mmCIF file of all heavy atoms in Angstrom:
data_model
loop_
_atom_site.group_PDB
_atom_site.id
_atom_site.type_symbol
_atom_site.label_atom_id
_atom_site.label_comp_id
_atom_site.label_asym_id
_atom_site.label_seq_id
_atom_site.Cartn_x
_atom_site.Cartn_y
_atom_site.Cartn_z
ATOM 1 N N HIS A 472 99.733 127.672 103.227
ATOM 2 C CA HIS A 472 100.408 126.661 102.446
ATOM 3 C C HIS A 472 101.680 127.178 101.796
ATOM 4 O O HIS A 472 101.857 127.138 100.587
ATOM 5 C CB HIS A 472 99.451 126.125 101.399
ATOM 6 C CG HIS A 472 99.851 124.774 100.955
ATOM 7 N ND1 HIS A 472 100.780 124.037 101.637
ATOM 8 C CD2 HIS A 472 99.478 124.025 99.919
ATOM 9 C CE1 HIS A 472 100.945 122.902 101.026
ATOM 10 N NE2 HIS A 472 100.168 122.863 99.982
ATOM 11 N N THR A 474 105.162 126.438 102.165
ATOM 12 C CA THR A 474 106.400 125.684 102.397
ATOM 13 C C THR A 474 107.606 126.495 101.946
ATOM 14 O O THR A 474 107.559 127.119 100.896
ATOM 15 C CB THR A 474 106.342 124.407 101.527
ATOM 16 O OG1 THR A 474 105.180 123.698 101.871
ATOM 17 C CG2 THR A 474 107.583 123.572 101.691
ATOM 18 N N THR A 492 108.353 122.246 106.152
ATOM 19 C CA THR A 492 106.946 122.674 106.188
ATOM 20 C C THR A 492 106.199 122.031 107.351
ATOM 21 O O THR A 492 106.610 120.980 107.845
ATOM 22 C CB THR A 492 106.242 122.268 104.869
ATOM 23 O OG1 THR A 492 104.960 122.877 104.799
ATOM 24 C CG2 THR A 492 106.065 120.762 104.759
ATOM 25 N N GLY A 494 103.155 121.471 106.474
ATOM 26 C CA GLY A 494 102.198 120.803 105.582
ATOM 27 C C GLY A 494 100.864 121.512 105.526
ATOM 28 O O GLY A 494 100.695 122.624 106.032
ATOM 29 N N LEU A 495 99.933 120.869 104.903
ATOM 30 C CA LEU A 495 98.605 121.464 104.765
ATOM 31 C C LEU A 495 97.972 121.688 106.127
ATOM 32 O O LEU A 495 97.975 120.790 106.970
ATOM 33 C CB LEU A 495 97.699 120.516 104.000
ATOM 34 C CG LEU A 495 97.894 120.413 102.498
ATOM 35 C CD1 LEU A 495 96.970 119.344 101.942
ATOM 36 C CD2 LEU A 495 97.591 121.752 101.838
ATOM 37 N N ARG A 502 98.967 112.549 107.618
ATOM 38 C CA ARG A 502 99.231 112.951 106.226
ATOM 39 C C ARG A 502 100.653 113.489 106.082
ATOM 40 O O ARG A 502 101.117 114.300 106.872
ATOM 41 C CB ARG A 502 98.217 114.005 105.804
ATOM 42 C CG ARG A 502 98.376 114.505 104.351
ATOM 43 C CD ARG A 502 99.171 115.769 104.256
ATOM 44 N NE ARG A 502 99.190 116.308 102.898
ATOM 45 C CZ ARG A 502 100.006 117.288 102.503
ATOM 46 N NH1 ARG A 502 100.857 117.828 103.342
ATOM 47 N NH2 ARG A 502 99.957 117.726 101.266
ATOM 48 N N GLY A 504 103.160 115.208 103.018
ATOM 49 C CA GLY A 504 103.128 115.761 101.666
ATOM 50 C C GLY A 504 104.411 115.495 100.909
ATOM 51 O O GLY A 504 105.133 114.525 101.166
ATOM 52 N N ASP A 505 104.705 116.378 99.976
ATOM 53 C CA ASP A 505 105.879 116.209 99.116
ATOM 54 C C ASP A 505 107.188 116.641 99.783
ATOM 55 O O ASP A 505 108.268 116.173 99.410
ATOM 56 C CB ASP A 505 105.696 117.035 97.840
ATOM 57 C CG ASP A 505 105.530 118.523 98.142
ATOM 58 O OD1 ASP A 505 104.769 118.857 99.090
ATOM 59 O OD2 ASP A 505 106.155 119.353 97.459
ATOM 60 N N SER A 506 107.090 117.550 100.766
ATOM 61 C CA SER A 506 108.290 118.250 101.233
ATOM 62 C C SER A 506 109.406 117.362 101.779
ATOM 63 O O SER A 506 110.580 117.669 101.574
ATOM 64 C CB SER A 506 107.905 119.298 102.283
ATOM 65 O OG SER A 506 106.997 120.186 101.711
ATOM 66 N N GLY A 526 103.265 124.294 97.455
ATOM 67 C CA GLY A 526 101.908 124.125 96.968
ATOM 68 C C GLY A 526 101.351 122.770 97.362
ATOM 69 O O GLY A 526 101.864 122.121 98.279
ATOM 70 N N LEU A 527 100.321 122.336 96.667
ATOM 71 C CA LEU A 527 99.632 121.102 97.067
ATOM 72 C C LEU A 527 100.531 119.886 96.854
ATOM 73 O O LEU A 527 100.773 119.454 95.724
ATOM 74 C CB LEU A 527 98.337 120.939 96.275
ATOM 75 C CG LEU A 527 97.492 119.751 96.747
ATOM 76 C CD1 LEU A 527 96.916 120.000 98.139
ATOM 77 C CD2 LEU A 527 96.373 119.446 95.765
ATOM 78 N N GLY A 528 100.997 119.334 97.955
ATOM 79 C CA GLY A 528 101.991 118.268 97.909
ATOM 80 C C GLY A 528 101.542 117.039 97.149
ATOM 81 O O GLY A 528 102.358 116.359 96.518
HETATM 82 N N1 LIG B 76 103.995 121.255 99.843
HETATM 83 C C1 LIG B 76 103.796 120.977 101.194
HETATM 84 C C2 LIG B 76 102.734 120.033 101.484
HETATM 85 O O1 LIG B 76 101.879 119.749 100.656
HETATM 86 O O2 LIG B 76 102.701 119.547 102.586
#
Side-chain angles (χ1 to χ4, degrees):
H472 203 13
T474 303
T492 190
L495 284 176
R502 181 264 186 192
D505 60 316
S506 302
L527 186 69

